[in-house]
């Protein structure tokens, strides 16, 4: 019965979701896994565990954080490059940032964020952005805390205002360049029948209400707002697998195809990349880091406004 319900995903997807309650999730050797507050509470004092707090503002961290967590702002991950605003920082800069946080490539690191008790500026994306970047630059055991610090608190987790004594690590940045897809390759394959392009931005932005020089979205991109995958009250908490399955089916996210995750600047897309590649074990997932920002820097590239992936083509009037 379930096989018929999930025809595109089939048994592969069902197998990937059967052990959601067994953490770290899923099983196997994936670079990024999901853990929950109960798992972290049981492993909080493991000698080889590093906890990274990526709350939206340093004052959020100062006011409260999970015991032992080191603050690592998401802002170090990207800088302008030749004027383009959404480029990743140089390898040496990321390497030094991870070293100062005491992160070792083969030791587990738990990443979490929150709404921000002080700033109220958290949107939930900090932890997928950090998890993706760690894995891209060579980390092998990234654990993402489902629900972040807000779920941790709601389940009675201990909080601290102490700063841990951190010894710098010997982390070496080694880029896994099979995760992102560059502009030229993206442009060449995005319209292929075996490719699905997702746009993770909110529907109103996808349809044409964003800040870019051109309004709308990349032709052919299917709108799958990343927030639709998350709990309504906590943007760092994933919905149940049953709910996620239905959403993916409704949007035609077929695991037999290459799925390219995109958004506005490549940040929102990390949410869907992490979900599909590492939690749902899709075999061919890429992330277009340049996303819509890069697409519209090329004046000749077309865009589409409105809710449909492509513009409706009016049929020619019959000859009289």
């Amino acid at each position: 019965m379930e096989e018929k319900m999930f025809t595109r995903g089939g048994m592969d997807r069902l197998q990937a979701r059967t052990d959601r309650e067994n953490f770290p999730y899923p099983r196997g050797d994936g670079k990024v896994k999901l853990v929950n507050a109960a798992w972290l509470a049981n492993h909080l004092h493991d000698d080889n565990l590093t906890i990274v707090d990526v709350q939206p503002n340093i004052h959020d961290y100062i006011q409260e954080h999970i015991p032992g967590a080191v603050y690592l702002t998401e802002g170090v991950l990207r800088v302008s490059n030749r004027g383009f605003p959404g480029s990743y920082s140089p390898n040496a800069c990321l390497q030094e940032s991870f070293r100062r946080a005491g992160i070792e490539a083969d030791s587990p690191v738990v990443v979490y964020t929150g709404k921000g008790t002080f700033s109220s500026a958290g949107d939930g994306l900090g932890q997928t952005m950090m998890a993706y970047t760690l894995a891209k630059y060579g980390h092998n055991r990234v654990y993402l805390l489902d629900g972040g610090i807000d779920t941790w608190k709601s389940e009675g987790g201990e909080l601290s205002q102490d700063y841990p004594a951190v010894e710098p690590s010997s982390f070496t940045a080694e880029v896994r360049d099979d995760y992102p897809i560059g502009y030229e390759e993206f442009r060449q394959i995005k319209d292929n029948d075996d490719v699905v392009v997702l746009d993770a931005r909110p529907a109103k932005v996808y349809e044409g209400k964003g800040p870019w020089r051109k309004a709308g979205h990349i032709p052919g991109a299917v709108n799958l707002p990343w927030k639709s995958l998350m709990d309504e009250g906590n943007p760092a908490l994933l919905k149940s697998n049953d709910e996620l399955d239905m959403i993916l089916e409704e949007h035609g996210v077929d695991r037999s195809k290459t799925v390219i995750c995109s958004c506005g600047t490549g940040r929102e897309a990390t949410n869907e990349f992490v979900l599909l590649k590492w939690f749902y074990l899709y075999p061919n997932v890429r992330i277009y880091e340049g996303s819509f920002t890069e697409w519209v820097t090329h004046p000749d590239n077309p865009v589409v406004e409105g809710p449909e992936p492509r513009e409706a083509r009016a049929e020619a009037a019959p000859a009289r």
Side-chain angles (χ1 to χ4, degrees):
M1 175 64 74
E2 284 191 310
E3 172 67 15
K4 293 180 180 178
M5 289 174 61
F6 303 103
T7 54
R8 290 191 181 92
M11 292 306 297
D12 288 335
R13 179 185 293 173
L14 293 174
Q15 182 177 357
R17 74 183 181 88
T18 52
D19 59 348
R20 174 80 179 262
E21 299 306 315
N22 297 309
F23 295 96
Y25 164 84
R27 300 168 188 172
D29 59 357
K31 307 302 182 188
V32 180
K33 295 179 183 295
L34 193 70
V35 297
N36 65 355
W39 183 94
L40 180 56
N42 289 332
H43 293 269
L44 192 61
H45 301 293
D46 288 2
D47 291 338
N48 66 337
L49 181 70
T50 301
I51 305 173
V52 173
D53 181 304
V54 290
Q55 291 188 83
N57 187 294
I58 190 172
H59 299 94
D60 298 318
Y61 171 81
I62 290 171
Q63 183 161 326
E64 60 181 28
H65 52 264
I66 295 174
V70 58
Y71 184 66
L72 182 58
T73 174
E74 180 191 344
V76 305
L77 303 182
R78 297 196 293 185
V79 295
S80 293
N81 182 18
R82 300 180 184 273
F84 185 76
S87 298
Y88 278 82
S89 298
N91 292 7
C93 294
L94 290 168
Q95 177 174 282
E96 182 63 20
S97 296
F98 296 156
R99 285 182 174 184
R100 289 191 181 194
I103 295 170
E104 297 283 3
D106 293 314
S107 295
V109 54
V110 172
V111 177
Y112 73 86
T113 189
K115 296 176 184 176
T117 300
F118 181 87
S119 70
S120 300
D123 62 5
L125 287 168
Q127 58 190 39
T128 57
M129 183 69 183
M130 184 63 72
Y132 167 73
T133 307
L134 281 165
K136 177 186 174 183
Y137 287 91
H139 203 283
N140 298 314
R141 297 180 66 187
V142 183
Y143 293 161
L144 192 152
L145 181 60
D146 197 18
I149 193 172
D150 297 296
T151 293
W152 173 263
K153 290 192 296 184
S154 72
E155 297 187 7
E158 181 183 356
L159 295 171
S160 175
Q161 288 187 306
D162 295 332
Y163 312 134
V166 176
E167 289 295 324
S169 73
S170 58
F171 186 95
T172 300
E174 298 178 355
V175 181
R176 295 181 170 116
D177 55 13
D178 57 325
Y179 297 168
I181 183 170
Y183 169 74
E184 291 297 337
E185 184 183 359
F186 174 77
R187 189 171 60 86
Q188 291 170 9
I189 73 169
K190 74 178 189 68
D191 294 316
N192 291 356
D193 291 340
D194 61 349
V195 172
V196 176
V197 178
L198 300 179
D199 187 325
R201 297 176 298 168
K204 67 179 182 180
V205 179
Y206 171 88
E207 293 174 15
K209 301 297 183 181
W212 289 268
R213 65 176 69 184
K214 290 184 178 181
H217 58 269
I218 298 170
V222 176
N223 189 211
L224 177 56
W226 73 272
K227 277 195 173 181
S228 69
L229 305 171
M230 314 305 290
D231 180 84
E232 290 185 6
N234 183 349
L237 179 66
L238 281 165
K239 288 182 175 178
S240 71
N241 275 348
D242 286 339
E243 293 173 291
L244 294 175
D245 278 325
M246 296 305 298
I247 293 169
L248 294 175
E249 291 295 335
E250 289 169 358
H251 288 79
V253 188
D254 190 337
R255 69 181 296 120
S256 69
K257 296 184 177 182
T258 295
V259 181
I260 302 176
C261 303
S262 74
C263 57
T265 69
R267 181 173 178 264
E268 292 162 302
T270 62
N271 175 281
E272 294 174 4
F273 183 86
V274 167
L275 172 68
L276 296 174
K277 181 174 180 63
W278 286 304
F279 299 165
Y280 263 49
L281 308 180
Y282 274 50
N284 299 301
V285 187
R286 309 286 296 280
I287 182 169
Y288 179 28
E289 293 176 351
S291 285
F292 195 68
T293 297
E294 183 176 46
W295 182 258
V296 298
T297 62
H298 300 269
D300 294 335
N301 281 342
V303 297
V304 176
E305 292 189 55
E308 298 301 324
R310 299 186 186 277
E311 290 181 322
R313 298 178 180 177
E315 296 183 3
R320 294 183 180 275

